[in-house]
Amino acid sequence: QVQLVESGGGSVQTGGSLRLSCAASGLTFSRAAVGWFRQASGREREFVSSLTMSTTARYAQFVRGRFTISRDNGKNTVYLQMNSLIPEDTAVYYCAADEGRGDLASTPTYWGQGTQVTVSS
């Protein structure tokens, strides 16, 4: 059974930083494309960032230059370092994974339960 468990969410002020972590189990992590989506209240879930098996990263335009995705295959963990946070980044952030794919699908197979990020002005 695949499990993705996020941590690291919280409340910060504008300009602050947070690092999200997602610990994976039940899949061959080194062969998985991983990434992050987010969903703000009243809005659809949207893509934030992904990282392929070969560590090629993609970012949504609205986080480029502020967020950095990384992975530690030895720890089966993917990270999202979020800097220069703004109130518009407030959302539930979800970890996602696809095993055996070059990159994360638009609707990934596996999802975490989500972690809340709140940015106040």
Side-chain angles (χ1 to χ4, degrees):
Q1 180 181 0
V2 175
Q3 284 192 313
L4 303 176
V5 180
E6 301 99 334
S7 61
S11 297
V12 297
Q13 292 188 327
T14 297
S17 298
L18 286 172
R19 188 175 83 152
L20 305 183
S21 300
C22 173
S25 60
L27 76 168
T28 306
F29 187 77
S30 62
R31 291 183 51 79
V34 292
W36 297 89
F37 287 71
R38 71 185 187 185
Q39 187 168 20
S41 179
R43 300 187 65 175
E44 293 187 353
R45 191 173 298 187
E46 61 184 357
F47 169 81
V48 175
S49 181
S50 67
L51 195 58
T52 68
M53 290 186 288
S54 59
T55 66
T56 298
R58 285 194 299 128
Y59 296 94
Q61 182 65 40
F62 54 77
V63 303
R64 200 165 295 168
R66 300 188 298 124
F67 293 8
T68 303
I69 191 171
S70 61
R71 66 191 296 164
D72 185 335
N73 288 343
K75 296 182 178 179
N76 286 4
T77 300
V78 56
Y79 304 97
L80 187 68
Q81 177 66 44
M82 304 187 296
N83 299 327
S84 302
L85 285 161
I86 58 178
E88 290 76 12
D89 294 320
T90 296
V92 178
Y93 283 71
Y94 296 91
C95 177
D98 276 312
E99 194 170 9
R101 285 181 58 94
D103 197 359
L104 208 60
S106 57
T107 306
T109 304
Y110 305 113
W111 294 88
Q113 82 287 353
T115 186
Q116 176 70 47
V117 171
T118 302
V119 185
S120 59
S121 57

